[in-house]
């Protein structure tokens, strides 16, 4: 069975500084990895995904993530954080086929002006 | 990206009544939709997988007679919470995926259900 770990409940970063939100995964087979962002009382918005190809994936709003197979990680990064990036971030994984996403517990990002 | 519309966004109902939540894929056909439940400050827990034209597959611990799922067309799935109780109060989110092995899932805006 697949699983996702987001070791940090909360990440605080000053505006303009780089941010990293950590994610590690466990699957049998090749992983399909995703990052989503959730604002209060809203659904999830897709940020980026890794299926195959380049390990560095660029997504929406200046976010990127790096797939590291040896460390089974897929950390989310952004070079310069904005206050508007403050939200709840979910890492998710699935295997190929019509399987559902399995989510991490989420990491709350707070960007301080 | 593709759009998934979920309705209503908020609903308050009395104990013992039933509530229907709709999930529509507006600009793509979704053979599979997923229903999740999210408790405060927690992650999304998969409730069931809904395939168009067939019975939904429920996760362990989810009562299929209480959470009725119908996926009658390629653009619409519904979740009906029957005989609702206060412990059913939660945030329910649907997800629809485009066809193809590499497709990402798109999510509805969620429904905040409060049972009083």
């Amino acid at each position: 069975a697949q699983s996702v770990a987001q070791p940090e409940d909360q990440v605080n970063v000053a505006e303009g500084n780089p941010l990293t939100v950590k994610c590690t995964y466990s699957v049998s087979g090749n992983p399909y990895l995703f990052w989503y962002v959730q604002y209060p009382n809203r659904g999830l918005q897709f940020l980026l995904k890794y299926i195959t190809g380049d390990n560095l994936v660029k997504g929406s709003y200046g976010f990127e993530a790096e797939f590291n197979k040896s460390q089974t990680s897929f950390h989310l990064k952004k070079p310069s954080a904005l206050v508007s990036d403050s939200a709840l971030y979910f890492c998710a994984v699935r295997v190929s086929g019509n399987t559902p996403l399995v989510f991490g517990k989420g990491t709350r990002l707070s960007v301080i002006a | 990206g593709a759009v998934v519309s979920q309705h209503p966004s908020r609903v308050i109902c009395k104990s013992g009544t039933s509530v229907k939540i709709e999930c529509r894929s507006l600009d793509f056909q979704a053979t599979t939709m997923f229903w999740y439940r999210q408790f405060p400050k927690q992650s999304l827990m998969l409730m069931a997988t809904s395939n168009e034209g067939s019975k939904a597959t429920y996760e362990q611990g989810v009562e299929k007679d209480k959470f009725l799922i119908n996926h009658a067309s390629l653009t619409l799935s519904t979740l009906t919470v029957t005989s609702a109780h206060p412990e059913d109060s939660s945030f329910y989110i649907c997800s629809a995926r485009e066809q193809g092995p590499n497709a990402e899932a798109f999510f509805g805006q969620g429904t905040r259900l409060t049972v009083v």
Side-chain angles (χ1 to χ4, degrees):
Chain A
Q2 52 259 38
S3 65
V4 175
Q6 291 181 245
E8 304 152 317
D9 291 336
Q10 175 94 29
V11 170
N12 298 319
V13 64
E15 186 176 30
N17 283 2
L19 68 87
T20 299
V21 183
K22 296 180 180 178
C23 171
T24 58
Y25 66 90
S26 174
V27 296
S28 300
N30 294 321
Y32 291 51
L33 293 155
F34 302 80
W35 275 102
Y36 289 86
V37 59
Q38 185 182 34
Y39 294 96
N41 290 310
R42 300 296 300 273
L44 274 67
Q45 295 180 27
F46 170 79
L47 282 179
L48 50 80
K49 67 179 177 181
Y50 171 83
I51 304 297
T52 186
D54 290 340
N55 290 341
L56 184 63
V57 178
K58 294 187 181 296
S60 307
Y61 313 119
F63 284 93
E64 59 187 30
E66 185 166 13
F67 171 64
N68 187 316
K69 188 174 183 178
S70 63
Q71 297 184 4
T72 62
S73 67
F74 190 57
H75 301 331
L76 180 71
K77 299 183 179 185
K78 186 173 182 179
S80 178
L82 300 173
V83 173
S84 57
D85 292 330
S86 299
L88 189 57
Y89 290 81
F90 290 99
C91 181
V93 68
R94 68 175 176 90
V95 293
S96 62
N98 210 18
T99 55
L101 289 170
V102 173
F103 287 86
K105 63 179 181 178
T107 298
R108 186 163 300 282
L109 173 66
S110 180
V111 181
I112 305 163
Chain B
V3 177
V4 175
S5 175
Q6 188 173 340
H7 179 80
S9 58
R10 288 178 179 271
V11 58
I12 301 173
C13 70
K14 292 184 178 180
S15 290
T17 62
S18 296
V19 173
K20 180 184 285 188
I21 303 169
E22 292 188 347
C23 180
R24 295 180 183 272
S25 56
L26 297 185
D27 49 3
F28 67 98
Q29 292 185 332
T31 54
T32 303
M33 291 187 177
F34 305 95
W35 286 94
Y36 293 85
R37 183 173 180 177
Q38 185 180 28
F39 292 99
K41 299 184 179 181
Q42 294 190 28
S43 187
L44 282 73
M45 302 302 296
L46 180 67
M47 298 175 66
T49 301
S50 165
N51 291 297
E52 185 266 336
S54 63
K55 291 183 179 180
T57 302
Y58 289 81
E59 295 299 298
Q60 191 173 11
V62 178
E63 298 177 61
K64 62 180 181 181
D65 294 331
K66 180 166 188 62
F67 298 100
L68 300 179
I69 292 173
N70 182 277
H71 193 163
S73 77
L74 287 171
T75 59
L76 174 64
S77 177
T78 60
L79 167 66
T80 301
V81 182
T82 62
S83 186
H85 288 98
E87 57 264 31
D88 298 326
S89 298
S90 192
F91 195 59
Y92 294 86
I93 304 177
C94 72
S95 170
R97 206 159 75 205
E98 298 176 291
Q99 295 185 27
N102 296 338
E104 69 261 26
F106 296 94
F107 288 80
Q109 58 268 55
T111 297
R112 171 73 59 194
L113 170 63
T114 303
V115 185
V116 297

